[in-house]
């Protein structure tokens, strides 16, 4: 493709993107295709000769688009969001054009220094103490893995990095029963062994019970295990339960245990001063992760990872082969030492564009709107005779179910599952479910960048309209 052709197509694609986003509500939110449908529409062999872009783009529209789920639709209420926004898309265009690999300061000083600056902005805005330093990772899964490996090296005084686990006691990791699967994955990858992940029981609101945490730690100590790290969740994936950080932190501090906080989705609420209570006890935190790529309108991937003592993180991950030795070593941040991959995308740019384009007040307004729409929906659920809340309302997430009179629990689960599928098959909205103490619950997350009250109203109308017809 020549440069002239590139320019022409770039203009055409920008037009297409603008139209797509403008008309996104006309697409079925959830892709309405069968397994294998897209695969079999694609040729078995790659082309030998160059194909023209017109044909490629045409196939994108004909074959690929029908198999896409539209995460940027304001009728998307499933999972947690993976939002973008116009300034973020523009930044991604520039990031792609520059194509810089930002592993160390020398490979693009602006990328490193912009990352330092925007991460300090974020740290101060969400209210973490100023001794925290930040790094952008690809995902919360990676941030948590980096934190757990650092906690491992701290407790073993860097012996595990050298010798593996030989001669070490069993290191124990604690998290609530509601914790995200990425914690268990990190425990496995870091070599602790899934059997050393202690799932602590929760209270009625599904937050970690600190008394049970204390008991679990005491019991482990008596058995000769070595408590290493507690993972507290601010906003669990199922119901956005908030673990009590202060009580957990006090226990960690008493036993010299690393405290990692997973606030992947809900961390964005810390932009709002009225939600600073979410991290009450922040003085106990050793590492903290939240994803601007979820609720802060920044394209996937962009995970903000903060550590109290960056020196420990660096000591854990540092490597210095000859070809990476530079004259600026020690004077600048080489972010390749702050995590797992060597190569790094220029993610700071999209965060910078988003924060500047909305302004903090603009971001806050959106987040507050989402929270208020969730609260509106929860009120509708509560006042409806045939629906009930199945978990306390938390931030932007409403868990509820259809509950007509005279139906047993088993039938209620079946009917709600059917309702969920039927709603999604309409293509009008997309919602997913969670199970709470074996209660099948519909779960609506109201957090898409462009969601309005009218989208939530439309969804509620559809749900209440369809539910009575389910057999
Ligand atoms: C989404 C989520 C994760 C995983 O995030 P990734 O960035 O996809 O790895 C981890 N923890 C919680 C609480 C989440 O909501």
């Amino acid at each position: 493709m020549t440069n002239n052709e590139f320019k022409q197509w770039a203009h055409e694609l920008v037009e297409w993107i603008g139209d797509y986003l403008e008309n996104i509500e006309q697409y079925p939110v959830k892709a309405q295709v069968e397994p294998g449908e897209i695969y079999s529409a694609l040729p078995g062999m790659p082309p030998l000769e160059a194909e023209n872009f017109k044909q490629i783009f045409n196939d994108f529209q004909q074959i690929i688009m029908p198999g896409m789920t539209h995460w940027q639709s304001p009728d998307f209420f499933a999972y947690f969001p993976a939002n973008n926004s116009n300034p973020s898309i523009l930044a991604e265009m520039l990031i792609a054009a520059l194509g810089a690999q930002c592993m160390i300061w020398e490979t693009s000083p602006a990328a490193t220094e912009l990352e330092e600056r925007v991460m300090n902005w974020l740290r101060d805005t969400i209210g973490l103490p100023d001794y925290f330093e930040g790094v952008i990772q690809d995902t919360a899964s990676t941030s948590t893995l980096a934190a757990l490996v650092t906690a491992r090296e701290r407790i073993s005084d860097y012996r595990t990095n050298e010798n593996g686990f030989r001669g070490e006691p069993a290191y124990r990791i604690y998290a609530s029963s509601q914790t995200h699967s990425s914690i268990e994955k990190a425990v496995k990858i870091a070599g602790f062994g899934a059997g050393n992940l202690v799932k602590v029981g929760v209270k009625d609101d599904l937050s970690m019970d600190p008394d049970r945490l204390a008991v679990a730690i005491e019991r482990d100590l008596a058995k000769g295990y070595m408590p290493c790290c507690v993972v507290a969740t601010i906003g669990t994936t199922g119901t956005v339960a908030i673990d009590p950080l202060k009580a957990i932190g006090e226990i960690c501090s008493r036993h010299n245990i690393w405290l990692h906080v997973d606030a992947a989705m809900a961390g964005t609420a810390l932009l709002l001063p009225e939600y600073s209570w979410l991290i009450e006890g922040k003085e106990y935190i050793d590492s903290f992760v939240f994803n601007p790529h979820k609720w802060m309108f920044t394209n996937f991937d962009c995970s903000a990872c903060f550590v109290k003592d960056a020196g420990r993180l660096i000591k854990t991950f540092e490597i210095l082969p000859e070809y990476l030795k530079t004259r600026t070593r020690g004077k600048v941040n080489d972010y390749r030492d702050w995590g797992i991959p060597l190569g790094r995308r220029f993610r700071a740019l999209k965060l910078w564009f988003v924060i500047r384009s909305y302004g903090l007040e603009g971001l806050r307004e959106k987040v507050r709107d989402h929270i208020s729409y969730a609260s509106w929906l929860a009120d509708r659920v509560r006042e409806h005779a045939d629906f009930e809340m199945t978990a306390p309302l938390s931030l932007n997430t409403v868990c509820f179910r259809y509950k007509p009179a005279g139906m047993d629990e088993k039938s209620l689960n079946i009917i709600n599952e059917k309702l969920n599928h039927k709603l999604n098959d309409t293509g009008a909205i997309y919602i997913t479910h969670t199970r709470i103490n074996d209660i099948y619950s519909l779960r609506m997350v109201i957090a898409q960048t462009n969601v309005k009250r009218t989208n939530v109203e439309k969804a509620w109308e559809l749900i209440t309209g369809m539910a009575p017809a389910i057999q």
Side-chain angles (χ1 to χ4, degrees):
M1 186 183 285
T2 64
N3 206 36
N4 272 339
E5 285 171 322
F6 168 77
K7 282 189 188 173
Q8 195 193 323
W9 277 110
H11 282 292
E12 205 153 312
L13 260 56
V14 166
E15 283 297 317
W16 185 91
I17 291 167
D19 290 344
Y20 166 70
L21 293 171
E22 210 170 293
N23 301 314
I24 197 163
E25 286 179 68
Q26 290 165 18
Y27 293 83
V29 191
K30 183 175 188 280
Q32 309 280 314
V33 293
E34 295 301 321
E37 207 174 310
I38 309 296
Y39 181 83
S40 58
L42 297 164
M45 298 277 280
L48 279 177
E49 308 294 338
E51 294 189 275
N52 68 45
F53 193 75
K54 194 176 171 55
Q55 189 57 44
I56 299 171
F57 186 50
N58 194 46
D59 284 348
F60 163 78
Q61 295 179 75
Q62 302 303 318
I63 303 174
I64 304 301
M65 280 302 279
M68 294 306 295
T69 287
H70 299 282
W71 285 70
Q72 306 314 320
S73 166
D75 299 314
F76 181 101
F77 303 104
Y79 305 103
F80 278 147
N83 284 326
N84 67 18
S85 61
N86 290 340
S88 174
I89 297 170
L90 293 176
E92 285 283 22
M93 285 162 63
L94 294 178
I95 294 165
L98 294 169
Q101 205 276 53
C102 307
M103 58 185 173
I104 55 179
W105 183 87
E106 301 234 347
T107 61
S108 278
T112 297
E113 296 187 15
L114 182 62
E115 185 161 337
E116 290 165 5
R117 185 55 81 186
V118 292
M119 290 305 277
N120 284 351
W121 283 1
L122 267 190
R123 173 199 65 201
D124 297 343
T125 306
I126 66 174
L128 284 176
D130 62 7
Y131 49 76
F132 275 89
E133 290 186 75
V135 52
I136 304 177
Q137 311 277 13
D138 53 4
T139 59
S141 304
T142 302
S143 300
T144 292
L145 175 58
L148 285 191
V149 173
T150 308
R152 182 192 80 192
E153 291 316 297
R154 171 181 170 270
I155 197 95
S156 74
D157 199 19
Y158 302 91
R159 285 189 306 272
T160 326
N161 257 353
E162 284 304 311
N163 311 320
F165 284 93
R166 193 155 35 93
E168 303 296 331
Y171 295 129
R172 305 285 266 184
I173 311 294
Y174 306 83
S176 93
S177 59
Q178 301 297 308
T179 205
H180 189 266
S181 55
S182 60
I183 314 303
E184 181 166 346
K185 203 188 248 185
V187 165
K188 289 193 212 170
I189 300 170
F192 293 109
N196 287 313
L197 173 60
V198 181
K199 292 265 177 92
V200 179
V202 293
K203 296 187 172 179
D204 286 346
D205 64 0
L206 302 174
S207 68
M208 187 192 286
D209 182 347
D211 292 341
R212 289 200 242 182
L213 172 66
V215 168
I217 290 170
E218 294 291 353
R219 198 187 301 134
D220 278 358
L221 284 168
K223 284 186 190 157
Y225 294 142
M226 179 73 87
C228 173
C229 177
V230 174
V231 181
T233 307
I234 303 297
T236 58
T237 315
T239 65
V240 190
I242 314 287
D243 288 347
L245 207 55
K246 197 170 166 64
I248 293 169
E250 279 162 6
I251 296 165
C252 289
S253 153
R254 207 178 317 136
H255 293 286
N256 191 27
I257 299 172
W258 184 283
L259 176 56
H260 175 63
V261 175
D262 176 3
M265 192 285 295
T268 297
L270 293 168
L271 294 174
L272 309 180
E274 62 270 32
Y275 281 93
S276 61
W277 59 269
L278 289 171
I279 51 166
E280 216 172 285
K282 58 193 174 187
E283 61 276 16
Y284 297 111
I285 302 174
D286 290 290
S287 52
F288 179 96
V289 56
F290 96 99
N291 285 346
H293 72 223
K294 277 186 168 159
W295 198 17
M296 220 183 91
F297 324 119
T298 307
N299 273 75
F300 188 87
D301 51 355
C302 184
S303 178
C305 176
F306 294 95
V307 284
K308 180 181 192 170
D309 182 352
R312 283 199 185 280
L313 184 71
I314 293 167
K315 194 168 172 193
T316 299
F317 288 104
E318 191 170 44
I319 36 115
L320 196 56
E322 191 56 35
Y323 55 86
L324 288 178
K325 287 185 181 158
T326 60
R327 284 176 300 168
T328 50
R329 182 88 194 139
K331 286 190 245 167
V332 295
N333 271 338
D334 289 326
Y335 277 123
R336 65 121 203 276
D337 290 331
W338 292 54
I340 293 154
L342 170 64
R344 313 183 73 246
R345 300 180 69 232
F346 185 10
R347 300 187 187 93
L349 194 71
K350 52 188 168 182
L351 211 41
W352 194 48
F353 276 29
V354 167
I355 294 171
R356 292 185 62 188
S357 180
Y358 282 96
L360 291 180
E361 285 306 329
L363 292 171
R364 287 181 179 129
E365 191 183 320
K366 263 196 181 305
V367 172
R368 281 196 186 107
D369 280 349
H370 294 172
I371 293 172
S372 78
Y373 304 156
S375 159
W376 177 88
L377 178 65
D379 284 344
R380 299 292 81 72
V381 172
R382 289 190 197 106
E383 72 188 20
H384 197 298
D386 290 341
F387 281 84
E388 69 169 7
M389 296 287 285
T390 51
L393 168 68
S394 182
L395 299 173
N396 55 21
T397 302
V398 185
C399 296
F400 63 102
R401 68 170 170 172
Y402 178 49
K403 191 173 183 268
M407 202 176 271
D408 63 27
E409 283 301 320
K410 201 168 156 223
S411 312
L412 285 172
N413 281 353
I414 293 169
I415 215 165
N416 276 281
E417 185 170 356
K418 278 191 187 162
L419 175 58
N420 193 359
H421 295 320
K422 267 207 124 105
L423 288 165
N424 294 339
D425 287 346
T426 65
I429 59 171
Y430 185 15
I431 64 179
T432 46
H433 78 285
T434 187
R435 245 175 230 281
I436 304 165
N437 299 322
D438 214 32
I439 289 177
Y440 186 100
S441 302
L442 306 172
R443 173 180 170 282
M444 265 178 77
V445 181
I446 296 152
Q448 207 285 322
T449 310
N450 299 308
V451 66
K452 298 198 171 57
R453 243 284 287 277
T454 46
N455 297 101
V456 185
E457 287 168 4
K458 191 183 79 178
W460 180 237
E461 232 167 77
L462 189 70
I463 294 164
T464 49
M466 283 188 96
I470 307 283
Q471 297 297 326

